[in-house]
């Protein structure tokens, strides 16, 4: 299925229209239809440190029960908390709307703080150059505006010296 809009967090997401592969199994159970599956897609994000674009394969498993609509009366009588309302999915005739289920699974599986690599050194706090490309020798000497000096200290990782 093509990805609808909104399959994203602040740092990463599945672009609208990108391919999402669904491996889906439907099972008829007492209360309705149990949908179990895995969504596979490429998530696109930005490295949290150096802002490089990252594409990462993502796999999100889900399992959700789609209740028969007739279940509604039963539920009302059962005095179910109204707050549970959005947790329940219902069959619409013969079809079920998988989109919200897949979206929740995909968004949960997205990395909150993606990195292009585990030890990404990030950007130089003074000139913004990528430290991975500039190399370990990159520096600006001691003649630095004192206002930036403080920032540089903050940006340095322990053990860098
Ligand atoms: Zn990076
Ligand atoms: Zn620099």
């Amino acid at each position: 299925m093509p990805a609808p809009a909104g399959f994203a967090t602040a740092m990463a997401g599945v672009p609208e229209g990108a391919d999402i592969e669904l491996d889906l199994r439907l099972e008829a159970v007492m209360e309705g239809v149990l949908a179990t599956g895995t969504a596979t897609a490429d998530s696109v994000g930005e490295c949290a440190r150096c802002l490089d674009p990252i594409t990462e394969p993502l796999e999100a498993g889900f399992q959700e029960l789609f209740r028969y609509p007739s279940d509604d009366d039963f539920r009302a009588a059962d005095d179910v908390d109204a707050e549970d309302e959005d947790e329940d999915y219902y069959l619409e005739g013969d079809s079920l709307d998988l989109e919200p289920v897949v979206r929740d699974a995909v968004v949960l599986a997205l990395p909150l703080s993606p990195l292009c690599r585990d030890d990404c050194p990030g950007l130089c706090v003074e000139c913004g150059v990528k430290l991975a490309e500039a190399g370990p020798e990159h520096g600006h000497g001691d003649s630095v505006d004192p206002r930036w000096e403080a920032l540089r200290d903050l940006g340095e990782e322990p053990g860098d010296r």
Side-chain angles (χ1 to χ4, degrees):
M1 69 185 243
F7 275 40
T9 62
M11 295 305 293
V14 177
E16 188 174 352
D19 240 5
I20 296 183
E21 215 169 284
L22 274 188
D23 178 11
L24 181 66
R25 202 177 76 228
L26 297 177
E27 243 175 297
V29 293
M30 282 281 282
E31 305 92 338
V33 173
L34 188 66
T36 311
T38 310
T40 318
D42 280 337
S43 76
V44 175
E46 266 180 2
C47 173
R49 291 187 196 153
C50 72
L51 307 182
D52 256 8
I54 316 171
T55 306
E56 247 181 288
L58 168 150
E59 201 180 280
F62 58 88
Q63 181 169 65
E64 201 65 58
L65 175 67
F66 286 82
R67 294 172 183 277
Y68 293 122
S70 56
D71 221 16
D72 231 346
D73 306 332
F74 178 73
R75 261 166 31 93
D78 216 15
D79 193 21
V80 176
D81 247 356
E83 287 184 17
D84 287 342
E85 202 77 26
D86 57 356
E87 299 292 331
D88 286 334
Y89 294 97
Y90 289 92
L91 291 164
E92 292 157 23
D94 283 339
S95 66
L96 42 84
D97 182 13
L98 270 179
E99 190 184 309
V101 176
V102 176
R103 184 185 58 225
D104 285 356
V106 165
V107 168
L108 268 180
L110 289 169
L112 280 180
S113 180
L115 295 176
C116 61
R117 54 182 229 220
D118 282 346
D119 60 346
C120 171
L123 303 174
C124 171
V125 293
E126 284 160 49
C127 67
V129 80
K130 266 179 221 147
L131 291 178
E133 286 169 12
E137 301 304 314
H138 179 81
H140 295 265
D142 291 329
S143 59
V144 176
D145 185 322
R147 282 174 300 171
W148 292 105
E149 191 81 72
L151 276 178
R152 186 171 65 171
D153 287 339
L154 285 176
E156 269 177 15
E157 309 244 343
D160 260 355
R161 290 157 202 266

